[in-house]
Amino acid sequence: MTAEAASEEVFDRFDSEWIDRDNVEFYRGLLRRQLLISRCGDCTKWHQPPGPTCPYCWSANVVPTEVSGDGVIETYTVAPKSEHALAVILFGQRDDR
């Protein structure tokens, strides 16, 4: 499967979502049943939603990285009164491992 074909499948499967160059890898991961969260290659901090730069150190070295899905959501905010709902999520690590 080529990257272009994978992009076509992403747009077909998630036709009601706002998909751009910053979040397309997140949706490709969902098609592969993977949870991909952006991680900065410089400061190593995680952030979601995906963006072109790290919101902590402003590095452009941001890589969609697979996570297990086993963790803690510390807080979240949802803005449902728009055409595309917005969810801002703060992730935390579990200390019991």
Side-chain angles (χ1 to χ4, degrees):
M1 175 189 309
T2 66
E4 185 174 318
S7 292
E8 288 177 21
E9 185 177 2
V10 168
F11 288 109
D12 288 344
R13 293 282 301 276
F14 301 102
D15 61 344
S16 65
E17 299 299 323
W18 182 270
I19 298 175
D20 59 25
R21 66 180 181 198
D22 297 326
N23 67 12
V24 69
E25 290 302 324
F26 173 79
Y27 289 101
R28 279 193 186 117
L30 293 181
L31 289 177
R32 294 187 306 260
R33 301 186 60 78
Q34 296 174 318
L35 178 58
L36 300 177
I37 305 297
S38 294
R39 187 171 199 185
C40 179
D42 291 333
C43 74
T44 71
K45 291 191 178 185
W46 301 88
H47 66 275
Q48 185 73 359
T53 57
C54 173
Y56 301 100
C57 72
W58 298 102
S59 169
N61 186 13
V62 175
V63 180
T65 306
E66 185 176 9
V67 296
S68 69
D70 182 27
V72 177
I73 296 176
E74 292 184 355
T75 186
Y76 68 94
T77 303
V78 177
K81 299 267 183 190
S82 65
E83 183 177 337
H84 300 283
L86 170 68
V88 178
I89 302 168
L90 176 62
F91 297 100
Q93 291 182 314
R94 290 178 54 167
D95 293 329
D96 61 342
R97 291 192 178 216

